[in-house]
Amino acid sequence: MLKNYLKIAWRNLIKNKTFSIANIVGLTCAFAVAILLSMTALFELSFDQFHEKKDNTYQLYLSSQTPRGVEVSTSNPVPLAAALKDEVPGIKHIARSLSEDALISYKEKDLSLDAEFVDAEFFHMFTYPVSAGNKENPLPNKNSVSITEETAQKTFGTLDALGETIQVKIGGEERPFTVAAILEDTPANSSMDFDIVIPFENHPEYEANKDEWNSQFFPVYLQLEEGMTTEQFEQSSREFVNLHYAGSIESAQRDGATPDANGQFKQLHLLPITDMHFVSYREGRAEIARTFPYLILGVALVIIFIVCANFINMNIALSEKRLKEIGMRKTLGAVKKQLFFQFWMESVIVFLLSIGLGLMVSNILIDPFKTLFNTKATFAEVTQPQIIGIFALAIFGITLIAGGYPALLMSKLSTLRALKGKLDSGKNRLRNGLIVLQFVIAIMLISGTLVLHGQLEFMRNKDLGYNKEQVVSIPLNGRKDSYAVLELLRDELPQHPNILSVSGADNNLGLGKDGSLSSSAMGFDYKGKGIFTNALTVDYDYAETLDIELKSGRMFNRDFSTDSLSLVINESMAKQLGEEDPLSIRIPMDDSVTYSVIGVIEDYNFQDVKKEVEPLTLFMNKDWDLYYAYVKIAPQNPASSFEAIKSAWEKIEPQAEFLGSFLDENVDRTFRREKNMATIITSGSILGIILSCLGLFAISMLVVAQRTKEIGVRKVVGASVSSVTLLLTKDFLKLVGLAFIIATPIAWYFLNEWLQDYSSHVNLSPLFFIGSGLLAGLIAFITIGSRTVTAASANPVNSLRDE
């Protein structure tokens, strides 16, 4: 019996080649794309899930009530970790951690590595397996380090590196360390990515700040005891906070801050480590948003829905050709179950064939897909047993619905109705409803594409307050002192006529090739008011090199020996200080040092482009290291200038990798996530509209075939080609119009909500949505019209003869 079902199913698929090919091609594309998108989404959702103790391990953050509202900080003072564990019950393990670049040397080899400065208890909470060495304590003493397998291979050429001694440059000084453990490489889905792990006590800022509660510059992680909840921790830590932050709480009360609902001015909170990859701190609270992976899954699902809707529509439409077959089968004794199984079997064959082809296509496309979407996802994400089980159930459900509904509809027909060749009139309502839903999805995707690209262009073209096209930033990752490197660059580069100026700072603008993003902030009292500011150490010619406008006063100048005790502030900082003449401001930073404001610069985006410009204070103190050089070039022949900079760097720091990049490239990297979203939505839009039109084309072929006699009669009585074409297309275009009316408010709502994440954004113009509707309508018209024009142009004699 089964063999007979398969034989008949195969014959019917061959008989209707056009529609079988349309279904198989559509389903294959949809399944291939859905597999790749699901792989990417599951990879994103898997971040930090590999830690064995993830269920009770957290990152600490502090919320503070200020006159400006609630502010959140993940940076903590050095003595906090030990004091918190001693004074607050329920903490099993606690560790400080700080990510920085570190220069290591071994024999004649220099490597710039991603370093993690941690306490020993770090490895009791986080699962980073040791492949060789001390597994219980990978950092047995202050002079030991752990390195990853990749680092061991790059440094020593072998994994057998235990006991080897390397030199690590810390705070401008090279110090020897012994390799105590080899760690497995950090997983691609880890929020922490490091090459070497160094005991926290070796950090250059540790000794000076080990008893200071006002210097905050690193995250803290802790593991709670069994039975201890986050709510209990937050409640029991309030007394600790009120004791150790008493000074800043008094300042907040003095400045007019209001306490929270619990009467607290400061409160410690816990963030699960599995949420670290998805957290953003807005309006004084941690917001967890897995929007990106869920968006990817959503696009995959709507593509599957579109192609399944096509399948249902085409199967129902094709069923009219088989009504007499159904009638004869029923007359000869076939029961509903047999008919249902026969038609469902045909659908299962199409689906299984499409899934197999989809797997082949996705395997072929995986490498270009990973490059395009900048993801490290692999098929391992979708080949886990539980995922395979979910996929199998999903495929069964899709097959049952998409293939089972037409099969059920046909098997329920009465014998008489089947022999007469009549289906229930409700079929058109289902067909039209599915077409509308398809184009609702397509129009929403097109709207999202237009708005996303509009926002990207807006951010790219936004005036950031500095020259990003003609300035190259270079991470200072070599052995030499940073100020010495800048002077050597100033000596070397004037030989090239298109090099205009050189400067430096301790932070980058945008995201450089070194992948580092950091910021420094500080607070102090000024005339009885608490002041918050970002801090940046710079070198001479900083504003000149970046073309930052000086509003008043002057920048740091070599002719003034006291500039190490001077400050340059931005307009937001001047506004916060509230003085009519900012150049009269004198700020006592501690008991013995007073700084004077010598200049005010225009606000510029020194942080993420999406954020509003915050107060900023520039320092110039040669005791504080710089980490980036800036070189301004002339607009003529930038490639030649870049090569000159690279050559000069290789001459000055021959063993250090050159990681220079233009600032516009750095800025572009900061919205990599938006670019990936735009690429995914654009790809989904294109595929969605193609699949929708594929189904529309097939349906229009069937409609034309059903109305062949009517077309011939209309042509005989004088109807023109255009009038017949309009008659055949207007019903479909009405459905696209209805889809536009439904899709527009939904798309506007979600896009408007998304744009609120940006301090400045593109206007949500009606043109975005009108353009989406017109584009969808035009594509639909071309799709249907290509078939209807052919039918309307046919000789009516042939049409009537065919009938």
Side-chain angles (χ1 to χ4, degrees):
M1 181 66 75
L2 181 61
K3 182 180 178 181
N4 187 50
Y5 284 149
L6 290 171
K7 187 183 292 184
I8 294 171
W10 182 252
R11 284 175 180 172
N12 280 312
L13 291 175
I14 298 298
K15 181 181 177 181
N16 298 293
K17 289 180 184 177
T18 302
F19 299 100
S20 297
I21 291 171
N23 274 326
I24 291 170
V25 169
L27 286 166
T28 298
C29 292
F31 283 128
V33 171
I35 289 167
L36 292 171
L37 291 179
S38 299
M39 174 187 77
T40 305
L42 291 172
F43 170 75
E44 287 289 322
L45 292 171
S46 72
F47 260 79
D48 300 310
Q49 296 290 338
F50 62 90
H51 295 295
E52 295 173 1
K53 300 175 182 177
K54 62 180 181 291
D55 293 333
N56 62 345
T57 303
Y58 305 89
Q59 182 180 11
L60 193 72
Y61 70 95
L62 179 74
S63 65
S64 303
Q65 305 293 126
T66 74
R68 300 174 295 277
V70 186
E71 295 179 353
V72 172
S73 172
T74 57
S75 295
N76 300 280
V78 174
L80 179 137
L84 191 64
K85 189 174 183 182
D86 290 341
E87 300 174 31
V88 177
I91 299 175
K92 186 174 183 179
H93 298 295
I94 193 166
R96 299 162 293 196
S97 176
L98 182 60
S99 302
E100 285 191 359
D101 291 337
L103 181 69
I104 73 161
S105 303
Y106 177 73
K107 295 182 178 178
E108 299 301 317
K109 190 180 293 183
D110 288 349
L111 292 173
S112 180
L113 302 178
D114 293 327
E116 199 76 24
F117 290 85
V118 304
D119 290 316
E121 290 193 7
F122 177 86
F123 289 101
H124 294 304
M125 296 183 286
F126 295 96
T127 306
Y128 294 107
V130 177
S131 59
N134 192 330
K135 297 188 177 179
E136 296 300 319
N137 186 8
L139 297 175
N141 57 66
K142 183 180 177 181
N143 297 317
S144 61
V145 295
S146 295
I147 60 175
T148 62
E149 292 176 348
E150 183 183 359
T151 302
Q153 198 67 49
K154 285 195 300 186
T155 307
F156 307 105
T158 176
L159 296 181
D160 186 17
L162 293 178
E164 293 284 356
T165 300
I166 59 174
Q167 300 291 323
V168 182
K169 187 177 180 183
I170 296 176
E173 174 189 355
E174 287 193 352
R175 295 168 53 186
F177 287 88
T178 302
V179 177
I182 307 296
L183 307 173
E184 293 181 13
D185 292 335
T186 54
N189 57 349
S190 172
S191 293
M192 299 180 192
D193 184 22
F194 51 79
D195 303 311
I196 183 171
V197 182
I198 304 170
F200 189 83
E201 294 88 343
N202 293 292
H203 191 273
E205 300 295 326
Y206 174 77
E207 285 297 331
N209 294 287
K210 63 182 180 181
D211 297 318
E212 294 291 330
W213 284 83
N214 292 325
S215 179
Q216 305 169 7
F217 56 92
F218 60 88
V220 167
Y221 303 94
L222 59 85
Q223 181 186 351
L224 294 179
E225 297 278 5
E226 291 295 329
M228 185 72 169
T229 66
T230 56
E231 291 78 11
Q232 289 172 330
F233 170 83
E234 290 178 5
Q235 188 171 355
S236 61
S237 64
R238 287 171 188 164
E239 186 177 337
F240 172 89
V241 171
N242 292 337
L243 172 65
H244 291 285
Y245 290 93
S248 57
I249 290 173
E250 288 175 9
S251 296
Q253 288 175 306
R254 178 200 62 204
D255 296 340
T258 55
D260 63 17
N262 297 310
Q264 293 291 114
F265 285 89
K266 288 185 180 290
Q267 174 69 62
L268 288 174
H269 303 274
L270 297 178
L271 175 76
I273 59 169
T274 51
D275 291 337
M276 291 192 302
H277 185 66
F278 308 100
V279 70
S280 60
Y281 297 98
R282 295 176 56 198
E283 299 177 359
R285 64 180 184 274
E287 292 187 358
I288 313 302
R290 289 176 168 82
T291 307
F292 184 60
Y294 289 149
L295 175 69
I296 297 172
L297 281 177
V299 172
L301 287 174
V302 298
I303 287 171
I304 293 292
F305 170 80
I306 288 172
V307 78
C308 287
N310 283 345
F311 187 84
I312 291 172
N313 272 340
M314 281 193 269
N315 270 14
I316 293 174
L318 278 170
S319 64
E320 290 197 21
K321 292 185 175 182
R322 302 181 64 181
L323 292 179
K324 290 183 180 179
E325 175 196 340
I326 296 168
M328 288 299 296
R329 283 174 176 269
K330 287 204 167 191
T331 302
L332 296 172
V335 296
K336 287 182 181 179
K337 183 171 71 173
Q338 292 172 320
L339 289 171
F340 175 83
F341 195 74
Q342 172 65 60
F343 292 121
W344 186 52
M345 181 62 67
E346 294 176 15
S347 300
V348 169
I349 290 173
V350 172
F351 270 82
L352 290 178
L353 185 60
S354 300
I355 291 167
L357 291 172
L359 285 168
M360 290 173 57
V361 172
S362 61
N363 190 51
I364 293 168
L365 295 178
I366 187 168
D367 288 333
F369 177 87
K370 288 168 70 173
T371 302
L372 179 64
F373 293 101
N374 191 34
T375 179
K376 297 179 181 178
T378 64
F379 278 125
E381 317 300 334
V382 292
T383 53
Q384 302 171 41
Q386 63 269 32
I387 300 299
I388 291 175
I390 292 171
F391 274 10
L393 286 173
I395 294 300
F396 177 77
I398 291 169
T399 308
L400 191 62
I401 295 169
Y405 178 79
L408 183 65
L409 186 68
M410 288 183 277
S411 65
K412 286 175 65 178
L413 277 174
S414 66
T415 305
L416 187 60
R417 184 179 290 273
L419 289 171
K420 286 182 176 180
K422 293 181 179 179
L423 267 175
D424 291 337
S425 60
K427 67 182 176 65
N428 283 342
R429 288 197 296 271
L430 175 65
R431 182 197 72 188
N432 293 344
L434 289 173
I435 290 173
V436 169
L437 273 176
Q438 286 178 309
F439 276 92
V440 164
I441 293 167
I443 290 169
M444 288 176 64
L445 288 173
I446 294 170
S447 300
T449 298
L450 296 178
V451 173
L452 271 166
H453 282 284
Q455 178 64 13
L456 280 172
E457 285 305 308
F458 177 84
M459 290 192 293
R460 283 194 182 104
N461 298 323
K462 179 182 176 183
D463 183 8
L464 302 180
Y466 60 86
N467 185 342
K468 63 178 191 264
E469 287 82 15
Q470 294 171 235
V471 179
V472 177
S473 79
I474 310 164
L476 300 174
N477 55 354
R479 287 188 179 189
K480 292 186 173 66
D481 174 74
S482 56
Y483 291 95
V485 172
L486 290 182
E487 289 305 321
L488 289 170
L489 284 171
R490 288 185 177 110
D491 292 340
E492 188 74 25
L493 289 173
Q495 300 172 21
H496 195 283
N498 289 330
I499 303 298
L500 303 181
S501 64
V502 176
S503 187
D506 67 349
N507 205 351
N508 206 355
L509 291 170
L511 182 63
K513 286 184 179 178
D514 60 342
S516 178
L517 265 178
S518 63
S519 61
S520 300
M522 59 184 291
F524 56 87
D525 283 348
Y526 177 73
K527 293 188 176 180
K529 181 172 69 172
I531 298 296
F532 163 84
T533 180
N534 292 277
L536 184 66
T537 303
V538 302
D539 194 26
Y540 296 115
D541 309 319
Y542 182 75
E544 176 191 346
T545 302
L546 293 169
D547 285 342
I548 299 171
E549 184 179 348
L550 185 66
K551 290 294 185 180
S552 62
R554 64 176 178 85
M555 285 298 295
F556 302 114
N557 194 303
R558 294 173 179 81
D559 296 333
F560 294 84
S561 59
T562 59
D563 273 0
S564 60
L565 296 177
S566 300
L567 305 173
V568 176
I569 59 176
N570 69 351
E571 292 173 298
S572 294
M573 181 61 174
K575 183 178 179 181
Q576 184 182 193
L577 291 168
E579 296 288 356
E580 187 175 341
D581 179 14
L583 301 182
S584 67
I585 294 172
R586 304 290 181 270
I587 301 174
M589 291 290 185
D590 54 45
D591 295 335
S592 58
V593 180
T594 298
Y595 286 82
S596 303
V597 174
I598 60 170
V600 178
I601 57 173
E602 182 183 33
D603 280 345
Y604 71 100
N605 284 88
F606 61 93
Q607 295 173 310
D608 195 325
V609 179
K610 292 177 280 189
K611 296 178 66 175
E612 291 186 10
V613 178
E614 295 178 350
L616 173 67
T617 301
L618 306 185
F619 295 83
M620 207 212 69
N621 188 328
K622 298 217 172 183
D623 292 331
W624 301 342
D625 282 338
L626 305 178
Y627 300 106
Y628 295 90
Y630 295 109
V631 181
K632 182 182 177 182
I633 64 173
Q636 299 83 16
N637 202 354
S640 172
S641 300
F642 189 83
E643 284 302 315
I645 296 168
K646 183 178 179 180
S647 298
W649 173 265
E650 290 171 348
K651 184 177 179 181
I652 295 166
E653 290 279 15
Q655 292 180 305
E657 184 181 4
F658 178 73
L659 297 174
S661 56
F662 284 94
L663 289 183
D664 56 353
E665 297 173 15
N666 291 3
V667 172
D668 208 46
R669 289 188 193 98
T670 61
F671 37 84
R672 185 181 293 160
R673 176 61 59 91
E674 285 81 0
K675 288 167 68 178
N676 284 345
M677 283 177 63
T679 306
I680 288 171
I681 297 293
T682 302
S683 304
S685 301
I686 294 170
L687 186 58
I689 201 74
I690 289 173
L691 293 175
S692 296
C693 291
L694 184 66
L696 202 58
F697 181 76
I699 295 295
S700 67
M701 285 181 67
L702 288 169
V703 169
V704 167
Q706 291 165 0
R707 301 177 71 174
T708 302
K709 184 177 179 180
E710 177 191 345
I711 294 170
V713 171
R714 288 180 178 274
K715 290 290 292 293
V716 167
V717 298
S720 63
V721 172
S722 59
S723 64
V724 173
T725 302
L726 182 60
L727 174 72
L728 295 173
T729 57
K730 67 178 181 181
D731 289 338
F732 290 108
L733 294 179
K734 285 178 184 177
L735 298 178
V736 177
L738 178 60
F740 171 73
I741 293 169
I742 296 170
T744 298
I746 300 173
W748 181 90
Y749 173 78
F750 285 108
L751 290 169
N752 185 60
E753 286 295 306
W754 174 70
L755 287 173
Q756 301 313 307
D757 291 339
Y758 300 86
S759 60
S760 57
H761 54 77
V762 68
N763 290 325
L764 205 54
S765 167
L767 293 176
F768 285 122
F769 306 103
I770 294 171
S772 302
L774 289 175
L775 183 59
L778 178 63
I779 294 171
F781 178 77
I782 293 171
T783 302
I784 305 164
S786 62
R787 178 60 187 160
T788 55
V789 168
T790 303
S793 303
N795 190 329
V797 173
N798 295 332
S799 301
L800 293 172
R801 183 186 300 143
D802 287 342
E803 287 293 312

